[in-house]
Amino acid sequence: MQIIALLLTFLRLGHASASLHQQAKRGAETNATIYAYGANASSWPIAYGVNDGLLYITEDPTANDGIVPIEWDLASITGECWIANATFVNGTKAGSMYIKPEQNYAVGILPQTRVAYLNGTVSGFALFATQLVYNNNTLLEAQFWAKSTNTTGIYGLMWTLDDSSPNGDFPVVVKASEDS
Ligand SMILES: *[C@@H]1O[C@H](CO)[C@@H](O)[C@H](O)[C@H]1NC(C)=O
Ligand SMILES: *[C@@H]1O[C@H](CO)[C@@H](O)[C@H](O)[C@H]1NC(C)=O
Ligand SMILES: *[C@@H]1O[C@H](CO)[C@@H](O)[C@H](O)[C@H]1NC(C)=O
Ligand SMILES: *[C@@H]1O[C@H](CO)[C@@H](O)[C@H](O)[C@H]1NC(C)=O
Ligand SMILES: *[C@@H]1O[C@H](CO)[C@@H](O)[C@H](O)[C@H]1NC(C)=O
Ligand SMILES: *[C@@H]1O[C@H](CO)[C@@H](O)[C@H](O)[C@H]1NC(C)=O
Ligand SMILES: *[C@@H]1O[C@H](CO)[C@@H](O)[C@H](O)[C@H]1NC(C)=O
């Protein structure tokens, strides 16, 4: 399923025409909520774990201690900016989204906002239309994964390097929706 989602992304990119620019430009969002779509999470918001700074997928973030909702400023892939910034509902800046290789490729927030470079190319997250993708040295990837935690109904947001999955985990597509 994840492979298929990726192929679709590439296909759509491959057919990109003059309209892509406008379409993607419209994709930039402010104060957006990001949602995970997958086997056990249909449009579940992605929230912030205050104890570890990692991102979690759960149906109602406000119902869980230690998990708080966050909002995002997201650029579109046509921009130069690949930094996805999060803000708490009280207006305090939380930081920017990063893949954390040292924590089994969990996706989390680091307070510092720095531009990451891979082989001299800017890397990071931005929106392809409404889908959140990762620019890995100019290759666009969407390899988000939901990993079960000790709490039923709460999944950790992960990044996968391949398509192998332990039991109970499933791939997710991450999409942004601007709050209205
Ligand atoms: C995220 O914050 C950085 C530093 O303030 C800024 O340069 C960048 O444009 C912001 N990203 C978005 C999508 O607003
Ligand atoms: C805003 O909320 C976050 C997360 O709950 C908290 O860590 C931070 O201290 C709060 N900031 C203010 C100014 O209350
Ligand atoms: C985003 O949210 C912040 C804090 O709630 C608010 O101050 C700001 O005006 C909002 N920006 C937009 C473009 O809605
Ligand atoms: C960086 O470049 C080297 C040499 O061209 C290549 O082997 C490596 O895969 C590149 N790394 C990334 C993250 O693309
Ligand atoms: C980025 O691409 C390189 C080369 O294909 C790969 O080795 C690396 O795992 C990728 N990084 C991420 C975070 O997906
Ligand atoms: C789950 O519980 C086990 C045993 O108490 C603990 O070792 C592990 O760190 C916990 N995992 C998470 C993700 O909290
Ligand atoms: C989905 O949730 C059900 C019920 O909690 C569980 O039995 C099943 O293993 C889960 N499937 C995945 C792919 O996480």
Side-chain angles (χ1 to χ4, degrees):
M1 175 183 168
Q2 184 172 23
I3 296 276
I4 291 169
L6 263 177
L7 285 177
L8 282 177
T9 299
F10 286 133
L11 268 179
R12 280 187 278 148
L13 271 181
H15 286 283
S17 62
S19 71
L20 171 65
H21 185 69
Q22 280 196 327
Q23 200 182 7
K25 246 203 154 142
R26 257 184 283 136
E29 297 193 11
T30 310
N31 287 355
T33 302
I34 56 174
Y35 295 90
Y37 296 79
N40 266 8
S42 94
S43 183
W44 284 13
I46 295 171
Y48 177 79
V50 292
N51 297 322
D52 56 12
L54 301 180
L55 296 176
Y56 290 92
I57 301 164
T58 188
E59 192 166 13
D60 179 8
T62 61
N64 298 284
D65 285 347
I67 293 184
V68 297
I70 37 171
E71 294 183 337
W72 295 89
D73 289 343
L74 304 164
S76 83
I77 59 166
T78 53
E80 304 291 300
C81 174
W82 290 85
I83 304 172
N85 300 319
T87 307
F88 296 116
V89 288
N90 61 17
T92 303
K93 299 264 176 231
S96 308
M97 185 185 289
Y98 292 99
I99 297 167
K100 298 186 167 178
E102 68 281 9
Q103 282 172 279
N104 289 321
Y105 293 88
V107 180
I109 292 176
L110 290 176
Q112 73 268 29
T113 295
R114 56 170 165 76
V115 178
Y117 290 94
L118 272 178
N119 279 2
T121 312
V122 175
S123 71
F125 294 95
L127 290 177
F128 176 74
T130 59
Q131 186 180 349
L132 194 65
V133 296
Y134 180 70
N135 175 356
N136 181 357
N137 196 24
T138 72
L139 180 65
L140 296 185
E141 300 173 336
Q143 298 175 188
F144 290 106
W145 202 263
K147 185 178 168 58
S148 50
T149 63
N150 286 344
T151 309
T152 308
I154 301 181
Y155 296 91
L157 184 66
M158 313 292 290
W159 188 258
T160 55
L161 299 178
D162 56 42
D163 211 30
S164 62
S165 72
N167 278 341
D169 301 349
F170 54 94
V172 290
V173 170
V174 175
K175 291 188 175 185
S177 173
E178 209 158 288
D179 294 356
S180 52

